[in-house]
Amino acid sequence: DYELCEEWVQLYPVPREDLINLHREHLIYLLEVGDMEKALKLLQRIEDPGICLAISEQSLDQRPNLAASHFLADYLTAHFYANLTTARRNEIQALYMGSKVLLTLPELSRVNYFHLSSRPLLMVEQLLMNMKVDWVAVAVQTLHQLLAEQEIGFTVEDIDNLLSKYAEKALHFPFALKEKRS
């Protein structure tokens, strides 16, 4: 049906918003079924960069599944970095990093942390609070690698401070002295 609509668009003029809606729905469909190659080809077929940017951003704002969010965040960063405001850039990069961290977690546990995909630092904190130390180690290593390549709203020092805070809490043992009994 999407291909038929695309053929129709080639033959008859279609309002810009309708064209964006068509491509957005087609893109989301392809991403939801996991066909990233066709999704990329669809985006490459769109000649107008403004329409392509609108489709990608609107698709990302609909909060698709993890793989789709990761794909869209990566695509937007790679192709439209200069066209995005600093705040939007940071938001998309945070989502990219969060989705990358989620992909390092065991598959069955990802759903529990998906709502934090746009806030990777909070995700690390949640993992710490849930005592998932092994997962935290992998997440921190992933974030360290990603932060070396990109600027975002937090730094490696913020991660280290968070880890130090929870390490300190883990070593704090409140107890009361008791009298010795004979």
Side-chain angles (χ1 to χ4, degrees):
D1 290 344
Y2 291 118
E3 290 172 6
L4 178 62
C5 289
E6 281 190 40
E7 287 177 24
W8 184 268
V9 167
Q10 298 297 325
L11 300 173
Y12 298 99
V14 174
R16 178 183 164 91
E17 285 306 310
D18 292 340
L19 186 62
I20 289 172
N21 290 337
L22 165 70
H23 288 306
R24 184 189 66 237
E25 293 303 318
H26 189 191
L27 179 63
I28 289 172
Y29 168 77
L30 291 172
L31 293 172
E32 292 289 333
V33 297
D35 198 342
M36 305 304 176
E37 188 175 321
K38 279 188 179 176
L40 183 60
K41 287 179 182 176
L42 170 66
L43 290 170
Q44 290 171 342
R45 274 197 316 265
I46 299 169
E47 294 173 6
D48 184 344
I51 290 177
C52 192
L53 174 60
I55 292 165
S56 302
E57 279 194 288
Q58 288 178 18
S59 298
L60 185 63
D61 290 341
Q62 287 193 352
R63 305 294 289 167
N65 66 30
L66 176 60
S69 295
H70 186 71
F71 172 87
L72 289 166
D74 186 36
Y75 184 83
L76 281 164
T77 303
H79 293 87
F80 296 105
Y81 189 82
N83 301 63
L84 302 169
T85 65
T86 303
R88 184 68 169 157
R89 224 180 280 152
N90 287 345
E91 178 186 327
I92 290 171
Q93 287 177 327
L95 182 62
Y96 175 78
M97 288 182 180
S99 61
K100 190 82 164 176
V101 168
L102 273 174
L103 290 170
T104 67
L105 300 181
E107 193 169 339
L108 296 176
S109 301
R110 292 176 188 163
V111 69
N112 298 330
Y113 301 96
F114 182 73
H115 66 285
L116 299 172
S117 60
S118 62
R119 303 192 54 205
L121 199 58
L122 190 57
M123 188 186 316
V124 169
E125 186 168 5
Q126 187 70 49
L127 290 169
L128 284 167
M129 290 179 2
N130 290 340
M131 305 291 281
K132 305 294 186 187
V133 179
D134 294 340
W135 298 358
V136 170
V138 175
V140 167
Q141 182 180 12
T142 302
L143 286 174
H144 276 264
Q145 291 171 350
L146 292 172
L147 284 171
E149 302 167 6
Q150 300 178 15
E151 285 183 28
I152 194 166
F154 64 93
T155 63
V156 173
E157 289 78 28
D158 294 327
I159 296 171
D160 293 343
N161 291 338
L162 180 67
L163 294 173
S164 296
K165 175 180 149 185
Y166 278 89
E168 182 180 314
K169 286 182 180 191
L171 296 175
H172 180 69
F173 298 107
F175 65 94
L177 294 174
K178 294 184 180 180
E179 294 180 20
K180 281 190 171 181
R181 295 185 181 183
S182 59

